Amino acid sequence: MDTKALKKQMGAAIAMVLVAAVALGSATFAWFVTNNSVKATTSSISAQSNAAYMTIAKGTTGAKDANESAVETDVKDKALFPATFGEQADQGSVAHVGEFWTGNGTTTTNGALKDALRKIGANGTPTEAVDEGYAFHVPFNVSTKGQKMKDLKVAGIANGKYDATDEANNGSALAKALRVLVVDGTDARKWVVYGQEADSTKYVVKLSSEDGNAVPNFGEVLPGTDHVVNVYLYYEGSDVAVYTNNLANLTKTNKVTVEFAATPNGNN
């Protein structure tokens, strides 16, 4: 439930309490005509919504005790080497989907793959890609107030804006190469990669762990429990804008907003 709807329900509950107090005061006044002042005092009461609402926090804990529905990290500029999570096919048309690999471009102004890809680290995991400078990790965690929730998913990704300096330094071109990998903290086998469409700034699914590149279901969000979702940023090496001279001009990390959504579970 959104904040406006929650406030509306809370307002309605409080209004009902006030109406009851007025009715009691009128009845008392009618019975004791000689009194010129009456008071009706209730015990402490609070309003409660009958629907769950999600909370979020930076890091891997804290959402269960938080009330925020949006948070922003304080990530500074971060330089990354180009990599691929399966969009770039190796020689022989082999695509290593779900693993981080990297390769060499043809020249400083041509990023086409020159030689075979090589795996990053021993297993090509997101953690290894972060350790070796190919990806940046931003962990978040979500929880719920009230009801259990199910079907936690990435609802979408919004693009940040570049300033004039970024535009002059080919920032807009490199934005096409930026990828956002979201991995479920409960089951790392569930993941999805987003990137911009070729002809717009809209983010769409590029790859996922599911058949047909469907958005994976990360499962339940429970009251009093933090559900971790790991976000990784990296530059897709197969993008035409990723070549040495262009990367050298990048001055700032792109800003993106990841939105998560879940469905209230009526079986509480």
Side-chain angles (χ1 to χ4, degrees), residues 127-218:
T127 298
E128 289 172 317
V130 171
D131 290 343
E132 299 194 24
Y134 292 90
F136 188 81
H137 178 211
V138 188
F140 296 95
N141 68 100
V142 298
S143 189
T144 175
K145 304 290 187 181
Q147 290 177 296
K148 297 178 182 178
M149 302 189 83
K150 60 182 180 179
D151 302 333
L152 175 64
K153 293 183 177 182
V154 178
I157 292 183
N159 186 44
K161 295 181 179 180
Y162 285 94
D163 60 25
T165 302
D166 292 316
E167 293 288 353
N169 289 332
N170 298 312
S172 59
L174 286 168
K176 294 294 184 188
L178 184 69
R179 296 292 186 267
V180 184
L181 167 64
V182 186
V183 182
D184 183 22
T186 303
D187 185 352
R189 295 171 299 179
K190 297 180 179 181
W191 53 266
V192 59
V193 174
Y194 283 83
Q196 286 188 14
E197 289 183 315
D199 56 353
S200 77
T201 59
K202 180 183 178 181
Y203 273 83
V204 296
V205 175
K206 298 289 187 178
L207 295 168
S208 91
S209 57
E210 308 303 301
D211 292 339
N213 285 339
V215 177
N217 186 335
F218 292 163

Coordinates of all heavy atoms in Angstrom, one line a residue, residues 127-218:
T127 N 31.0 -11.8 -7.0 CA 32.0 -11.4 -6.0 C 33.4 -11.3 -6.6 O 34.1 -10.4 -6.3 CB 32.0 -12.5 -4.8 OG1 30.7 -12.5 -4.2 CG2 33.0 -12.1 -3.8
E128 N 33.8 -12.3 -7.4 CA 35.1 -12.2 -8.1 C 35.2 -11.0 -9.0 O 36.2 -10.4 -9.1 CB 35.3 -13.5 -8.8 CG 35.5 -14.7 -7.9 CD 35.6 -16.1 -8.6 OE1 34.8 -16.3 -9.5 OE2 36.5 -16.9 -8.3
A129 N 34.1 -10.7 -9.7 CA 34.1 -9.6 -10.6 C 34.3 -8.3 -9.9 O 35.0 -7.4 -10.3 CB 32.8 -9.5 -11.4
V130 N 33.7 -8.2 -8.7 CA 33.9 -7.0 -7.8 C 35.3 -6.9 -7.3 O 36.0 -5.9 -7.4 CB 32.9 -7.1 -6.6 CG1 33.3 -6.0 -5.6 CG2 31.5 -6.9 -7.1
D131 N 35.9 -8.1 -6.9 CA 37.2 -8.1 -6.3 C 38.3 -7.7 -7.4 O 39.3 -7.1 -7.0 CB 37.5 -9.5 -5.8 CG 36.8 -9.9 -4.5 OD1 36.2 -8.9 -3.9 OD2 36.7 -11.1 -4.2
E132 N 38.0 -8.0 -8.6 CA 39.0 -7.7 -9.7 C 38.7 -6.4 -10.5 O 39.3 -6.2 -11.5 CB 39.1 -8.9 -10.6 CG 39.6 -10.2 -9.8 CD 40.0 -11.3 -10.8 OE1 40.4 -11.0 -11.9 OE2 40.0 -12.4 -10.4
G133 N 37.7 -5.7 -10.0 CA 37.5 -4.3 -10.6 C 36.6 -4.3 -11.9 O 36.6 -3.4 -12.6
Y134 N 35.8 -5.4 -12.1 CA 34.9 -5.4 -13.2 C 33.4 -5.1 -12.9 O 32.6 -4.9 -13.8 CB 34.9 -6.9 -13.8 CG 36.3 -7.2 -14.5 CD1 37.3 -7.8 -13.7 CD2 36.5 -6.9 -15.8 CE1 38.5 -8.1 -14.3 CE2 37.7 -7.2 -16.4 CZ 38.7 -7.8 -15.6 OH 40.0 -8.1 -16.2
A135 N 33.1 -5.1 -11.6 CA 31.7 -4.8 -11.2 C 31.8 -4.1 -9.9 O 32.8 -4.1 -9.1 CB 30.9 -6.1 -11.1
F136 N 30.7 -3.4 -9.6 CA 30.5 -2.7 -8.3 C 29.3 -3.2 -7.6 O 28.2 -3.4 -8.2 CB 30.4 -1.2 -8.5 CG 30.4 -0.4 -7.2 CD1 31.6 -0.1 -6.6 CD2 29.3 0.0 -6.7 CE1 31.7 0.6 -5.4 CE2 29.3 0.7 -5.5 CZ 30.5 1.0 -4.9
H137 N 29.4 -3.5 -6.3 CA 28.4 -4.2 -5.6 C 27.7 -3.2 -4.6 O 28.3 -2.4 -3.9 CB 29.0 -5.3 -4.7 CG 28.0 -6.0 -3.8 ND1 28.3 -6.6 -2.6 CD2 26.6 -6.2 -4.0 CE1 27.3 -7.1 -2.1 NE2 26.2 -6.9 -2.9
V138 N 26.3 -3.1 -4.7 CA 25.5 -2.3 -3.8 C 24.4 -3.2 -3.2 O 23.5 -3.5 -3.9 CB 24.9 -1.1 -4.6 CG1 24.2 -0.1 -3.6 CG2 25.9 -0.4 -5.4
P139 N 24.6 -3.6 -2.0 CA 23.6 -4.4 -1.3 C 22.4 -3.6 -0.7 O 22.7 -2.5 -0.2 CB 24.4 -5.2 -0.2 CG 25.4 -4.2 0.1 CD 25.8 -3.4 -1.1
F140 N 21.2 -4.2 -0.8 CA 20.1 -3.6 -0.2 C 19.3 -4.7 0.5 O 19.6 -5.9 0.3 CB 19.1 -2.9 -1.2 CG 19.7 -1.8 -1.9 CD1 20.3 -1.9 -3.2 CD2 19.7 -0.5 -1.4 CE1 20.9 -0.8 -3.8 CE2 20.2 0.6 -2.0 CZ 20.8 0.4 -3.2
N141 N 18.4 -4.4 1.4 CA 17.5 -5.4 2.0 C 16.1 -4.8 2.2 O 16.0 -3.6 2.4 CB 18.1 -5.9 3.3 CG 18.1 -4.9 4.4 OD1 17.2 -4.9 5.3 ND2 19.1 -4.0 4.4
V142 N 15.1 -5.6 2.0 CA 13.7 -5.2 2.1 C 13.0 -6.0 3.2 O 13.4 -7.2 3.5 CB 13.0 -5.3 0.7 CG1 13.7 -4.4 -0.3 CG2 13.0 -6.8 0.3
S143 N 12.0 -5.4 3.7 CA 11.2 -6.1 4.7 C 9.7 -5.6 4.5 O 9.4 -4.9 3.6 CB 11.7 -5.9 6.1 OG 11.0 -6.7 7.1
T144 N 8.9 -6.0 5.5 CA 7.5 -5.6 5.4 C 6.9 -5.3 6.8 O 7.4 -5.9 7.8 CB 6.6 -6.7 4.7 OG1 5.2 -6.3 4.7 CG2 6.8 -8.0 5.4
K145 N 6.0 -4.4 6.8 CA 5.2 -4.1 8.0 C 3.8 -4.8 7.9 O 3.2 -4.6 6.9 CB 5.1 -2.6 8.2 CG 6.4 -1.9 8.3 CD 7.2 -2.1 9.5 CE 8.4 -1.2 9.6 NZ 9.2 -1.5 10.8
G146 N 3.4 -5.5 8.9 CA 2.1 -6.1 8.8 C 2.1 -7.5 8.2 O 2.7 -8.4 8.7
Q147 N 1.5 -7.6 7.0 CA 1.3 -8.9 6.4 C 2.6 -9.4 5.8 O 3.5 -8.7 5.5 CB 0.3 -8.8 5.3 CG -1.1 -8.6 5.7 CD -2.1 -8.4 4.5 OE1 -2.0 -7.5 3.8 NE2 -3.0 -9.4 4.4
K148 N 2.6 -10.7 5.6 CA 3.6 -11.4 4.8 C 3.4 -10.9 3.3 O 2.3 -10.6 2.9 CB 3.5 -12.9 4.8 CG 3.7 -13.5 6.2 CD 3.5 -15.0 6.1 CE 3.7 -15.7 7.4 NZ 3.5 -17.1 7.3
M149 N 4.5 -10.9 2.5 CA 4.3 -10.6 1.1 C 5.0 -11.7 0.3 O 5.9 -12.4 0.8 CB 4.9 -9.2 0.8 CG 4.3 -8.1 1.6 SD 4.8 -6.4 1.1 CE 3.6 -6.2 -0.3
K150 N 4.6 -11.8 -0.9 CA 5.1 -12.9 -1.8 C 5.5 -12.3 -3.1 O 5.2 -11.1 -3.4 CB 4.1 -14.0 -2.0 CG 2.8 -13.6 -2.6 CD 1.8 -14.7 -2.8 CE 0.5 -14.2 -3.4 NZ -0.5 -15.3 -3.6
D151 N 6.2 -13.1 -3.9 CA 6.5 -12.7 -5.3 C 7.3 -11.4 -5.4 O 7.0 -10.5 -6.2 CB 5.2 -12.6 -6.2 CG 4.4 -13.8 -6.2 OD1 5.0 -14.9 -6.0 OD2 3.2 -13.7 -6.4
L152 N 8.4 -11.4 -4.6 CA 9.3 -10.2 -4.6 C 10.0 -10.2 -6.0 O 10.6 -11.2 -6.4 CB 10.3 -10.3 -3.5 CG 11.4 -9.2 -3.5 CD1 10.8 -7.8 -3.3 CD2 12.5 -9.5 -2.4
K153 N 9.9 -9.1 -6.7 CA 10.5 -9.0 -8.0 C 11.1 -7.6 -8.2 O 10.8 -6.7 -7.5 CB 9.5 -9.3 -9.1 CG 9.0 -10.7 -9.2 CD 8.0 -10.9 -10.3 CE 7.6 -12.3 -10.4 NZ 6.7 -12.6 -11.6
V154 N 12.0 -7.5 -9.2 CA 12.4 -6.2 -9.7 C 11.2 -5.6 -10.6 O 10.8 -6.2 -11.6 CB 13.7 -6.2 -10.5 CG1 14.0 -4.9 -11.0 CG2 14.8 -6.8 -9.7
A155 N 10.7 -4.5 -10.1 CA 9.5 -3.9 -10.9 C 10.0 -3.1 -12.0 O 9.3 -2.8 -13.0 CB 8.7 -3.1 -9.9
G156 N 11.2 -2.6 -12.0 CA 11.8 -1.8 -13.0 C 13.0 -1.0 -12.6 O 13.3 -1.0 -11.4
I157 N 13.6 -0.4 -13.6 CA 14.8 0.4 -13.3 C 14.7 1.8 -14.0 O 14.4 1.8 -15.2 CB 16.1 -0.3 -13.8 CG1 16.3 -1.5 -12.9 CG2 17.3 0.6 -13.7 CD1 17.6 -2.3 -13.1
A158 N 15.0 2.8 -13.3 CA 14.9 4.2 -13.9 C 16.3 4.7 -14.1 O 17.2 4.4 -13.3 CB 14.1 5.1 -12.9
N159 N 16.5 5.5 -15.1 CA 17.8 6.0 -15.5 C 18.1 7.3 -14.8 O 17.2 8.1 -14.7 CB 17.9 6.1 -17.0 CG 19.3 6.5 -17.5 OD1 20.3 6.0 -17.0 ND2 19.3 7.5 -18.4
G160 N 19.3 7.5 -14.4 CA 19.7 8.8 -13.8 C 20.1 9.7 -15.0 O 20.0 9.4 -16.1
K161 N 20.4 11.0 -14.6 CA 20.7 12.0 -15.6 C 22.2 12.4 -15.5 O 22.8 12.4 -14.5 CB 19.9 13.2 -15.4 CG 18.4 13.0 -15.6 CD 17.6 14.2 -15.4 CE 16.1 14.0 -15.6 NZ 15.3 15.3 -15.4
Y162 N 22.7 12.7 -16.7 CA 24.1 13.1 -16.8 C 24.1 14.7 -16.8 O 23.2 15.3 -17.3 CB 24.8 12.6 -18.1 CG 25.1 11.2 -18.1 CD1 24.3 10.2 -18.6 CD2 26.4 10.8 -17.5 CE1 24.6 8.9 -18.6 CE2 26.7 9.4 -17.5 CZ 25.8 8.5 -18.1 OH 26.2 7.2 -18.1
D163 N 25.2 15.2 -16.3 CA 25.4 16.7 -16.3 C 26.1 17.0 -17.6 O 26.5 16.1 -18.4 CB 26.1 17.2 -15.1 CG 27.5 16.7 -14.9 OD1 28.1 16.2 -15.9 OD2 28.0 16.6 -13.8
A164 N 26.3 18.3 -17.9 CA 26.9 18.7 -19.1 C 28.3 18.1 -19.3 O 28.7 17.8 -20.4 CB 27.0 20.2 -19.2
T165 N 29.1 18.0 -18.2 CA 30.4 17.5 -18.4 C 30.4 16.0 -18.8 O 31.2 15.6 -19.7 CB 31.1 17.5 -17.0 OG1 31.2 18.9 -16.6 CG2 32.6 17.0 -17.1
D166 N 29.5 15.3 -18.3 CA 29.3 13.9 -18.7 C 29.0 13.7 -20.2 O 29.5 12.9 -20.9 CB 28.3 13.1 -17.9 CG 28.8 13.0 -16.4 OD1 29.9 12.6 -16.2 OD2 27.9 13.2 -15.5
E167 N 28.0 14.6 -20.6 CA 27.6 14.6 -22.0 C 28.8 14.9 -22.9 O 29.0 14.2 -24.0 CB 26.5 15.6 -22.3 CG 25.2 15.3 -21.6 CD 24.5 14.1 -22.2 OE1 24.9 13.6 -23.3 OE2 23.5 13.7 -21.6
A168 N 29.6 15.8 -22.5 CA 30.8 16.2 -23.4 C 31.8 15.1 -23.4 O 32.6 15.0 -24.4 CB 31.4 17.5 -22.8
N169 N 31.8 14.3 -22.4 CA 32.8 13.2 -22.3 C 32.2 11.8 -22.7 O 32.6 10.8 -22.2 CB 33.4 13.1 -20.9 CG 34.3 14.3 -20.6 OD1 34.9 14.8 -21.5 ND2 34.4 14.6 -19.3
N170 N 31.2 11.8 -23.6 CA 30.6 10.6 -24.1 C 29.9 9.8 -23.0 O 29.7 8.6 -23.2 CB 31.7 9.7 -24.7 CG 32.4 10.4 -25.9 OD1 31.7 10.9 -26.8 ND2 33.7 10.4 -26.0
G171 N 29.5 10.5 -22.0 CA 28.8 9.8 -20.9 C 27.5 9.1 -21.4 O 27.1 8.0 -21.0
S172 N 26.8 9.8 -22.3 CA 25.5 9.3 -22.8 C 25.7 8.0 -23.6 O 24.9 7.1 -23.5 CB 24.8 10.4 -23.6 OG 25.6 10.8 -24.7
A173 N 26.8 8.0 -24.3 CA 27.1 6.8 -25.1 C 27.4 5.6 -24.2 O 26.9 4.5 -24.4 CB 28.2 7.0 -26.1
L174 N 28.2 5.8 -23.2 CA 28.5 4.8 -22.3 C 27.4 4.3 -21.4 O 27.4 3.2 -20.9 CB 29.7 5.2 -21.4 CG 31.0 5.2 -22.1 CD1 32.1 5.9 -21.3 CD2 31.5 3.8 -22.5
A175 N 26.4 5.2 -21.3 CA 25.2 4.8 -20.5 C 24.5 3.6 -21.1 O 23.9 2.7 -20.5 CB 24.2 5.9 -20.4
K176 N 24.6 3.4 -22.5 CA 24.0 2.3 -23.2 C 24.7 1.0 -22.8 O 24.1 -0.1 -22.8 CB 24.2 2.5 -24.7 CG 23.3 3.6 -25.2 CD 21.9 3.4 -25.1 CE 21.0 4.5 -25.7 NZ 19.6 4.3 -25.4
A177 N 26.0 1.1 -22.4 CA 26.8 -0.1 -22.0 C 26.6 -0.5 -20.6 O 27.0 -1.6 -20.2 CB 28.2 0.2 -22.3
L178 N 26.1 0.4 -19.7 CA 25.9 0.1 -18.3 C 24.9 -1.0 -18.1 O 23.8 -0.9 -18.7 CB 25.5 1.4 -17.5 CG 25.4 1.2 -16.0 CD1 26.8 1.0 -15.4 CD2 24.7 2.4 -15.4
R179 N 25.2 -1.9 -17.3 CA 24.3 -3.0 -17.0 C 24.0 -3.1 -15.5 O 24.9 -2.7 -14.7 CB 24.9 -4.4 -17.4 CG 25.0 -4.5 -18.9 CD 23.7 -4.5 -19.6 NE 23.8 -4.8 -21.1 CZ 23.9 -3.8 -22.0 NH1 23.9 -2.5 -21.6 NH2 24.1 -4.1 -23.2
V180 N 22.8 -3.4 -15.1 CA 22.4 -3.6 -13.7 C 22.0 -5.0 -13.5 O 21.0 -5.5 -14.0 CB 21.3 -2.6 -13.4 CG1 20.9 -2.7 -11.9 CG2 21.6 -1.2 -13.8
L181 N 22.9 -5.7 -12.7 CA 22.6 -7.1 -12.4 C 22.0 -7.2 -10.9 O 22.6 -6.6 -10.0 CB 23.9 -7.9 -12.4 CG 23.9 -9.3 -11.8 CD1 23.0 -10.3 -12.5 CD2 25.3 -9.9 -11.8
V182 N 20.8 -7.8 -10.8 CA 20.2 -7.9 -9.5 C 20.1 -9.4 -9.2 O 19.5 -10.2 -9.9 CB 18.8 -7.3 -9.5 CG1 18.2 -7.3 -8.1 CG2 18.8 -5.8 -10.0
V183 N 20.7 -9.8 -8.0 CA 20.8 -11.1 -7.6 C 20.1 -11.3 -6.3 O 20.3 -10.5 -5.3 CB 22.2 -11.6 -7.5 CG1 22.3 -13.1 -7.1 CG2 23.0 -11.4 -8.8
D184 N 19.2 -12.3 -6.2 CA 18.5 -12.6 -4.9 C 19.5 -13.0 -3.9 O 20.4 -13.9 -4.1 CB 17.5 -13.7 -5.1 CG 16.7 -14.0 -3.9 OD1 16.6 -13.2 -3.0 OD2 16.1 -15.2 -3.8
G185 N 19.5 -12.4 -2.7 CA 20.4 -12.7 -1.6 C 20.1 -14.1 -0.9 O 20.9 -14.6 -0.3
T186 N 18.9 -14.6 -1.1 CA 18.5 -15.9 -0.6 C 18.9 -17.0 -1.5 O 19.3 -18.1 -1.0 CB 17.0 -15.9 -0.3 OG1 16.6 -14.8 0.6 CG2 16.6 -17.2 0.3
D187 N 18.8 -16.8 -2.8 CA 19.1 -17.8 -3.8 C 19.8 -17.2 -4.9 O 19.2 -16.6 -5.8 CB 17.8 -18.5 -4.3 CG 18.1 -19.7 -5.2 OD1 19.2 -19.9 -5.6 OD2 17.1 -20.4 -5.5
A188 N 21.1 -17.3 -4.9 CA 22.0 -16.6 -5.9 C 21.7 -17.2 -7.3 O 22.2 -16.6 -8.3 CB 23.4 -16.8 -5.6
R189 N 21.0 -18.3 -7.5 CA 20.7 -18.8 -8.8 C 19.6 -18.0 -9.5 O 19.4 -18.2 -10.7 CB 20.2 -20.3 -8.7 CG 21.3 -21.2 -8.2 CD 20.7 -22.6 -7.9 NE 19.7 -22.5 -6.8 CZ 19.0 -23.6 -6.4 NH1 19.2 -24.8 -6.9 NH2 18.1 -23.4 -5.5
K190 N 19.0 -17.1 -8.8 CA 18.0 -16.2 -9.3 C 18.5 -14.8 -9.6 O 18.9 -14.1 -8.6 CB 16.8 -16.1 -8.4 CG 16.1 -17.5 -8.2 CD 14.9 -17.3 -7.3 CE 14.2 -18.7 -7.1 NZ 13.0 -18.5 -6.2
W191 N 18.6 -14.4 -10.8 CA 19.2 -13.1 -11.1 C 18.6 -12.5 -12.4 O 18.0 -13.3 -13.2 CB 20.7 -13.2 -11.3 CG 21.1 -14.3 -12.3 CD1 21.5 -15.6 -12.0 CD2 21.3 -14.1 -13.7 NE1 21.8 -16.3 -13.1 CE2 21.7 -15.4 -14.2 CE3 21.1 -13.1 -14.6 CZ2 21.9 -15.6 -15.6 CZ3 21.3 -13.3 -16.0 CH2 21.7 -14.6 -16.4
V192 N 18.8 -11.2 -12.6 CA 18.3 -10.6 -13.8 C 19.2 -9.4 -14.2 O 19.7 -8.7 -13.3 CB 16.8 -10.1 -13.7 CG1 16.7 -9.1 -12.5 CG2 16.3 -9.5 -15.0
V193 N 19.5 -9.2 -15.5 CA 20.3 -8.1 -16.0 C 19.5 -7.1 -16.8 O 18.8 -7.5 -17.7 CB 21.5 -8.7 -16.9 CG1 22.3 -7.5 -17.5 CG2 22.4 -9.6 -16.1
Y194 N 19.6 -5.9 -16.4 CA 18.9 -4.8 -17.1 C 19.9 -3.9 -17.9 O 21.0 -3.7 -17.4 CB 18.1 -3.9 -16.2 CG 16.8 -4.5 -15.7 CD1 16.8 -5.4 -14.7 CD2 15.6 -4.2 -16.3 CE1 15.6 -6.0 -14.2 CE2 14.4 -4.7 -15.9 CZ 14.4 -5.6 -14.8 OH 13.2 -6.2 -14.4
G195 N 19.5 -3.4 -19.0 CA 20.3 -2.4 -19.7 C 19.4 -1.6 -20.6 O 18.2 -1.9 -20.8
Q196 N 19.9 -0.5 -21.1 CA 19.0 0.4 -21.9 C 18.7 -0.2 -23.3 O 19.5 -0.9 -23.8 CB 19.7 1.8 -22.1 CG 19.7 2.7 -20.9 CD 20.2 4.1 -21.2 OE1 20.4 4.4 -22.3 NE2 20.6 4.8 -20.2
E197 N 17.5 0.2 -23.8 CA 17.2 -0.2 -25.2 C 18.1 0.6 -26.1 O 18.7 1.6 -25.8 CB 15.7 0.2 -25.5 CG 14.7 -0.6 -24.8 CD 13.3 -0.3 -25.2 OE1 13.0 1.0 -25.3 OE2 12.5 -1.1 -25.5
A198 N 18.3 0.0 -27.3 CA 19.2 0.6 -28.3 C 18.8 2.0 -28.7 O 19.6 2.9 -28.9 CB 19.3 -0.3 -29.5
D199 N 17.4 2.2 -28.8 CA 16.9 3.5 -29.3 C 16.2 4.4 -28.3 O 15.5 5.3 -28.6 CB 16.0 3.2 -30.5 CG 14.8 2.3 -30.1 OD1 14.8 1.8 -28.9 OD2 13.9 2.1 -30.9
S200 N 16.4 4.1 -27.0 CA 15.8 4.9 -26.0 C 16.6 4.7 -24.7 O 17.5 3.9 -24.6 CB 14.4 4.5 -25.7 OG 14.3 3.3 -25.0
T201 N 16.3 5.5 -23.7 CA 16.9 5.4 -22.3 C 16.2 4.4 -21.4 O 16.5 4.3 -20.2 CB 17.0 6.8 -21.7 OG1 15.7 7.3 -21.5 CG2 17.9 7.7 -22.5
K202 N 15.1 3.8 -21.9 CA 14.4 2.8 -21.1 C 15.2 1.6 -20.8 O 15.8 1.0 -21.7 CB 13.1 2.5 -21.8 CG 12.2 1.5 -21.1 CD 11.0 1.1 -21.9 CE 10.1 0.1 -21.1 NZ 8.9 -0.3 -21.9
Y203 N 15.1 1.2 -19.5 CA 15.8 -0.1 -19.2 C 14.9 -1.3 -19.4 O 13.7 -1.3 -19.0 CB 16.3 0.0 -17.7 CG 17.6 0.7 -17.5 CD1 17.7 2.0 -17.4 CD2 18.8 -0.1 -17.4 CE1 19.0 2.7 -17.3 CE2 20.0 0.5 -17.3 CZ 20.1 1.9 -17.2 OH 21.3 2.5 -17.1
V204 N 15.5 -2.3 -20.0 CA 14.8 -3.5 -20.3 C 15.6 -4.7 -19.8 O 16.8 -4.6 -19.6 CB 14.4 -3.7 -21.8 CG1 13.4 -2.6 -22.2 CG2 15.7 -3.6 -22.6
V205 N 15.0 -5.9 -19.7 CA 15.7 -7.1 -19.4 C 16.6 -7.5 -20.5 O 16.1 -7.7 -21.7 CB 14.8 -8.2 -19.0 CG1 15.5 -9.5 -18.7 CG2 13.9 -7.8 -17.8
K206 N 17.9 -7.7 -20.3 CA 18.8 -8.2 -21.3 C 19.0 -9.7 -21.1 O 19.2 -10.5 -22.1 CB 20.2 -7.5 -21.1 CG 20.1 -6.0 -21.4 CD 19.9 -5.7 -22.9 CE 20.0 -4.2 -23.1 NZ 19.8 -3.9 -24.6
L207 N 19.1 -10.2 -19.9 CA 19.4 -11.6 -19.6 C 18.7 -11.9 -18.2 O 18.5 -11.0 -17.4 CB 20.9 -11.9 -19.4 CG 21.8 -11.8 -20.6 CD1 23.2 -11.9 -20.2 CD2 21.5 -12.9 -21.6
S208 N 18.4 -13.1 -18.0 CA 17.9 -13.5 -16.7 C 18.1 -15.0 -16.5 O 18.4 -15.8 -17.5 CB 16.4 -13.2 -16.5 OG 15.6 -14.2 -16.8
S209 N 18.0 -15.5 -15.3 CA 18.1 -16.9 -15.0 C 16.9 -17.7 -15.4 O 17.0 -19.0 -15.3 CB 18.4 -17.0 -13.4 OG 17.3 -16.5 -12.7
E210 N 15.9 -17.1 -15.8 CA 14.6 -17.8 -16.1 C 14.4 -18.0 -17.6 O 15.1 -17.3 -18.5 CB 13.4 -16.9 -15.6 CG 13.5 -16.5 -14.2 CD 13.7 -17.7 -13.2 OE1 12.8 -18.6 -13.2 OE2 14.7 -17.7 -12.5
D211 N 13.6 -19.0 -18.0 CA 13.3 -19.2 -19.4 C 12.7 -18.0 -20.0 O 11.8 -17.3 -19.4 CB 12.3 -20.4 -19.5 CG 12.9 -21.7 -19.1 OD1 14.2 -21.8 -19.1 OD2 12.2 -22.7 -18.7
G212 N 13.1 -17.7 -21.2 CA 12.6 -16.6 -21.9 C 13.0 -15.2 -21.4 O 12.3 -14.2 -21.6
N213 N 14.0 -15.2 -20.5 CA 14.5 -14.0 -19.9 C 13.4 -13.3 -19.0 O 13.3 -12.1 -19.0 CB 15.1 -13.0 -20.9 CG 16.4 -13.4 -21.4 OD1 17.1 -14.2 -20.7 ND2 16.8 -12.9 -22.5
A214 N 12.5 -14.1 -18.4 CA 11.5 -13.6 -17.5 C 12.1 -13.0 -16.3 O 13.2 -13.5 -15.9 CB 10.5 -14.7 -17.2
V215 N 11.5 -12.1 -15.6 CA 12.0 -11.5 -14.4 C 11.8 -12.6 -13.3 O 10.7 -13.1 -13.1 CB 11.2 -10.2 -14.0 CG1 11.7 -9.7 -12.6 CG2 11.4 -9.2 -15.1
P216 N 12.8 -13.0 -12.6 CA 12.7 -14.0 -11.6 C 11.9 -13.6 -10.3 O 11.9 -12.4 -10.0 CB 14.2 -14.3 -11.2 CG 14.9 -13.1 -11.5 CD 14.2 -12.5 -12.7
N217 N 11.3 -14.6 -9.7 CA 10.6 -14.4 -8.5 C 11.5 -14.7 -7.3 O 12.0 -15.8 -7.1 CB 9.4 -15.3 -8.4 CG 8.5 -15.1 -7.2 OD1 8.9 -14.6 -6.2 ND2 7.2 -15.5 -7.4
F218 N 11.8 -13.7 -6.5 CA 12.7 -13.8 -5.4 C 12.0 -14.4 -4.1 O 12.7 -14.5 -3.0 CB 13.4 -12.5 -5.0 CG 14.3 -12.0 -6.1 CD1 14.7 -10.7 -6.1 CD2 14.8 -12.9 -7.1 CE1 15.6 -10.2 -7.1 CE2 15.7 -12.4 -8.0 CZ 16.1 -11.1 -8.1

